[in-house]
Amino acid sequence: MAKLNFGGSEENVVTRDEFPLAKAQEVLKDEVVAVIGYGVQGPGQALNQKDNGINVIVGQRKGTKTWDKAVNDGFVPGETLFEIEEALERGTVICYLLSDAAQIALWPTVKKHLTPGKALYFSHGFGITFNEQTGIIPPADVDVFLVAPKGSGTSLRRMFLQGRGLNSSYAIFQDATGKAFERVIALGIAVGSGYLFETDFKKEVYSDLTGERGTLMGCIQGIFAAQYEVLRSNGHSPSESFNETVEELTQSLMPLVAENGMDWMYANCSTTAQRGALDWWKKFRDATKPVFEDLYKSVATGVESQRSIDSNSKTDYREKLDAELAELRDSELWQAGKTVRSLRPENQAVEA
Ligand SMILES: NC(=O)c1ccc[n+]([C@@H]2O[C@H](COP(=O)([O-])OP(=O)(O)OC[C@H]3O[C@@H](n4cnc5c(N)ncnc54)[C@H](O)[C@@H]3O)[C@@H](O)[C@H]2O)c1
Ligand SMILES: CC(C)(O)[C@@H](O)C(=O)O
Ligand SMILES: [Mg+2]
Ligand SMILES: [Mg+2]
């Protein structure tokens, strides 16, 4: 394991150089990896493992759309695709990739099949950290660990197909066999991680819930909406407001940040823009920091996990989420975005 310097702090990181795919295949050669759940992470992780030569099976409810999706993706009923209980029975590693809320309902069934020496794998610290809310308390004689890809399962799969890798964090909650470390790292490599950085279950879930509610998803939509509304109320057209809020960010500036950091992106903009951005970023930090403090508190006190469990355990949770997504999609901002996206030359070429 390499110790790398992250801005002055040393952290443990496992890279593909020290743990190549061949080693992962060797560690997992006698394992049956059962992926339970085929939503967003399920397909990404199951397909990457399949393509990496791991003995992977999928557990799904027959007659569901996701069962059909697994078949279309190449999983064969009776060979590599089974009803959930049968997959739980066959699996020596159980990748528990139902939604965090759904994991609660299926837990008694999963627990029944966790015989000594098996491994219980999560992609989030949620179920274990908030076990007073979830009731997920594994038996002592199984390994329990997580590999949490830091991005969507869709990106995990796309990047794998491009020969790239998404970074993931890993954590071991319970090492019953003495082999938890090699098992979790092998799985991390097999699911398509570029590298794996060490954390624990609580830190993973606190940071993840904060990030997705914060800059990654919640906050970014919030600041997009705020700037767009100010531009619109001052007489700017929808296309101009959208371009100056979203399109330029995703198409031009964020790729520069991804490539070489914020100062590199700044340096590739005018000195006028640099002067203004350097003057204004601290005001935005100071304005939003109290909101982030509230958010972290809400995560750490279990308010966010409880809200997620309560809303996503309802039978109509999907319809409710879809209705709220449609509201976003139908807003002027994102409708303007739809037209702007259609004007991208590469999209016009596709339509032609
Ligand atoms: N979505 C992501 O890209 C992502 C990224 C990192 C970590 N994670 C974590 O990975 C895990 C899986 O997340 P996901 O987003 O792939 O889940 P998801 O919301 O897509 O749901 C996964 C599966 O659960 C099934 N399901 C829902 N309710 C069920 C029930 N009552 N009984 C049986 N099956 C049911 C769904 O049909 C689906 O097949 C979670 O712990 C999540 O936090 C997700
Ligand atoms: C993809 C995310 C936001 O990183 C993940 O945490 C999730 O919950 O879907
Ligand atoms: Mg998350
Ligand atoms: Mg995340």
Side-chain angles (χ1 to χ4, degrees):
M1 178 149 41
K3 269 218 182 295
L4 296 184
N5 186 318
F6 291 88
S9 298
E10 296 233 305
E11 295 184 40
N12 290 328
V13 179
V14 181
T15 65
R16 284 186 192 173
D17 289 343
E18 57 180 301
F19 209 104
L21 179 60
K23 190 164 167 187
Q25 289 166 334
E26 174 63 26
V27 169
L28 297 175
K29 71 177 187 312
D30 296 325
E31 305 269 16
V32 176
V33 181
V35 172
I36 308 299
Y38 209 72
V40 182
Q41 276 299 317
Q45 296 196 21
L47 288 168
N48 288 357
Q49 290 189 79
K50 182 153 95 75
D51 289 352
N52 273 333
I54 307 301
N55 185 11
V56 60
I57 62 174
V58 170
Q60 262 306 297
R61 290 171 293 184
K62 222 180 216 160
T64 59
K65 276 193 202 140
T66 40
W67 173 280
D68 296 340
K69 179 172 160 43
V71 172
N72 285 335
D73 286 349
F75 290 98
V76 180
E79 285 178 28
T80 51
L81 175 61
F82 299 94
E83 285 281 0
I84 288 178
E85 269 221 69
E86 188 166 356
L88 287 168
E89 171 76 40
R90 287 171 179 258
T92 58
V93 176
I94 307 301
C95 293
Y96 206 15
L97 297 181
L98 292 186
S99 73
D100 296 298
Q103 288 178 19
I104 297 171
L106 197 74
W107 174 244
T109 312
V110 172
K111 197 172 170 189
K112 209 168 65 186
H113 293 283
L114 287 176
T115 47
K118 284 196 181 187
L120 177 62
Y121 165 112
F122 293 91
S123 282
H124 203 5
F126 194 108
I128 294 285
T129 304
F130 297 111
N131 63 11
E132 284 184 11
Q133 293 166 343
T134 64
I136 295 179
I137 300 169
D141 48 13
V142 298
D143 291 344
V144 181
F145 41 64
L146 66 78
V147 171
K150 294 288 110 183
S152 167
T154 306
S155 318
L156 184 74
R157 180 63 181 160
R158 284 184 186 170
M159 289 168 80
F160 176 85
L161 292 173
Q162 293 163 0
R164 300 163 65 200
L166 195 63
N167 56 328
S168 299
S169 42
Y170 76 91
I172 296 168
F173 177 71
Q174 207 166 272
D175 182 4
T177 64
K179 294 185 173 156
F181 179 76
E182 62 178 41
R183 276 173 130 180
V184 71
I185 299 302
L187 287 157
I189 297 295
V191 301
S193 309
Y195 61 88
L196 293 138
F197 58 91
E198 188 181 49
T199 187
D200 61 43
F201 273 59
K202 188 165 148 183
K203 290 237 162 56
E204 193 285 331
V205 69
Y206 283 18
S207 59
D208 191 85
L209 293 179
T210 301
E212 66 204 18
R213 280 153 185 72
T215 57
L216 302 177
M217 295 170 69
C219 171
I220 196 158
Q221 166 60 23
I223 60 169
F224 282 172
Q227 175 169 303
Y228 184 88
E229 285 168 21
V230 168
L231 289 170
R232 288 289 288 129
S233 66
N234 282 287
H236 297 268
S237 67
S239 66
E240 185 165 73
S241 305
F242 185 85
N243 279 330
E244 284 299 338
T245 303
V246 180
E247 189 72 355
E248 176 169 340
L249 183 73
T250 60
Q251 301 305 295
S252 168
L253 302 188
M254 276 300 146
L256 292 171
V257 177
E259 184 179 278
N260 215 8
M262 193 63 86
D263 65 302
W264 169 245
M265 183 269 268
Y266 278 24
N268 281 281
C269 296
S270 67
T271 50
T272 310
Q274 289 180 50
R275 181 67 270 134
L278 289 165
D279 287 344
W280 277 88
W281 78 262
K282 290 181 184 157
K283 291 186 197 179
F284 284 109
R285 178 197 59 194
D286 295 346
T288 56
K289 200 165 170 190
V291 185
F292 284 104
E293 302 280 12
D294 280 355
L295 166 57
Y296 194 85
K297 213 176 288 162
S298 189
V299 168
T301 52
V303 172
E304 294 304 308
S305 46
Q306 193 60 51
R307 169 151 170 77
S308 173
I309 291 167
D310 291 345
S311 51
N312 293 331
S313 298
K314 297 209 167 75
T315 48
D316 62 348
Y317 78 94
R318 183 59 68 190
E319 289 79 1
K320 289 249 166 69
L321 288 174
D322 284 348
E324 288 183 65
L325 295 184
E327 223 175 273
L328 266 188
R329 186 166 57 242
D330 294 341
S331 66
E332 186 195 277
L333 189 167
W334 290 109
Q335 284 300 308
K338 190 176 172 196
T339 310
V340 170
R341 287 195 300 276
S342 75
L343 294 172
R344 290 182 199 151
E346 67 272 25
N347 290 345
Q348 291 194 320
V350 169
E351 278 165 26

